[in-house]
Amino acid sequence: MLVLKDVTAHYGTSQALFGMSLDLQAGQVATLLGRNGMGKTTTINTIMGIVKASGGSITFDGQELVGRASFRTANLGLGLVPEGRQIFPNLTMLENLVATASNHLGVDDPWTVEKVLALFPELETRTGSMGNLLSGGEQQMLAIGRALMTNPRLLILDEATEGLAPIIRQEIWAAIARLKQETGTAILLIDKSVRELAQVSDRAVILGRGETVWSGAFADITPEVSETYVGV
Ligand code: ATP
């Protein structure tokens, strides 16, 4: 579904990706791992066209994404939950959910506000609350719900549970597991907790200094691989 081959990217004259490769099949959950600054966020932002790839190829269902405007990439069915959540602070939760909702692919059974609230019942009593008054956990659930309201075939989460309390993190993992099982949405995610990621991840790609240094089944990450490349 999503294939990255030898992708390079720069910030000005500074190179951040040196030949990143990745292969994600439909319905799979894949995780990007690696120490801080290795290029995980840059990889995601390059897929979405927020950072321009300077070389290599990124295809989604055979369509080249390199050189495509971000909104056109999103319209192909890629939904992003960005680092820092980027909730609109001066819109209510409900307004945040519907502000960017779309069904560009014309899916038969699109996401609705009701379905998002069923996935995250914690949000039900907060629909009228302004974005900036929501807790970090509520904001993350909202950011996931907002991305789902664009009916993505591939959901991308940058720092799925960063900074959240353990109980909230567990709710996010449970929701991701439900999405995988019940909707078959492919998911690409970044998170730091290898142990928690094991609950949902089929595959892992490990980055070291802007390139893929290991990839395979998540279950095949040995303690040695984890210690060498991830640091835990
Ligand atoms: P972290 O886990 O800390 O978020 P990461 O693996 O997501 O790290 P990136 O944020 O993609 O790593 O950063 C990869 C490299 O690109 C780092 O060397 C970083 O300093 C550099 N970099 C990231 N964003 C920018 C930017 N806006 N301008 C210049 N350099 C950047």
Side-chain angles (χ1 to χ4, degrees):
M1 179 186 234
L2 177 72
V3 182
L4 276 68
K5 274 197 194 128
D6 298 327
V7 175
T8 58
H10 293 71
Y11 293 101
T13 55
S14 161
Q15 188 162 1
L17 294 185
F18 292 84
M20 174 64 203
S21 295
L22 179 162
D23 191 338
L24 174 67
Q25 309 291 321
Q28 277 188 341
V29 177
T31 301
L32 287 180
L33 294 169
R35 290 191 165 87
N36 288 351
M38 292 296 132
K40 302 180 295 296
T41 294
T42 303
T43 298
I44 280 182
N45 286 343
T46 305
I47 294 169
M48 294 305 298
I50 298 165
V51 172
K52 305 290 172 216
S54 50
S57 129
I58 304 174
T59 55
F60 183 69
D61 279 343
Q63 303 202 61
E64 184 58 61
L65 301 188
V66 172
R68 189 180 283 260
S70 294
F71 78 92
R72 290 185 58 228
T73 291
N75 289 354
L76 289 177
L78 287 87
L80 176 65
V81 179
E83 193 169 21
R85 292 142 204 161
Q86 314 287 340
I87 295 302
F88 303 118
N90 53 350
L91 297 184
T92 65
M93 171 180 285
L94 196 58
E95 289 166 343
N96 265 280
L97 273 181
V98 300
T100 53
S102 60
N103 185 7
H104 287 283
L105 302 176
V107 303
D108 289 340
D109 191 15
W111 280 89
T112 60
V113 170
E114 291 70 29
K115 284 193 199 176
V116 171
L117 296 180
L119 184 66
F120 295 117
E122 296 79 359
L123 299 186
E124 261 169 34
T125 59
R126 306 286 277 147
T127 50
S129 303
M130 302 304 280
N132 60 349
L133 297 180
L134 301 171
S135 69
E138 289 167 342
Q139 288 196 3
Q140 183 65 347
M141 292 174 195
L142 174 56
I144 295 171
R146 183 178 58 181
L148 291 174
M149 291 289 284
T150 68
N151 293 288
R153 297 187 52 227
L154 169 63
L155 181 68
I156 302 181
L157 294 100
D158 192 349
E159 301 291 5
T161 64
E162 175 86 351
L164 303 179
I167 188 165
I168 307 293
R169 299 222 300 253
Q170 205 41 54
E171 282 169 24
I172 303 278
W173 294 127
I176 289 171
R178 275 187 66 188
L179 283 176
K180 175 182 171 180
Q181 279 150 20
E182 295 173 17
T183 69
T185 308
I187 300 173
L188 176 63
L189 55 88
I190 297 177
D191 198 82
K192 293 201 167 60
S193 173
V194 176
R195 191 174 48 79
E196 293 176 16
L197 283 164
Q199 302 171 59
V200 296
S201 304
D202 301 306
R203 298 190 60 75
V205 175
I206 305 181
L207 278 87
R209 291 188 57 80
E211 61 187 339
T212 305
V213 289
W214 188 94
S215 67
F218 196 93
D220 289 343
I221 300 176
T222 60
E224 290 74 29
V225 166
S226 183
E227 202 172 305
T228 306
Y229 299 121
V230 190
V232 286

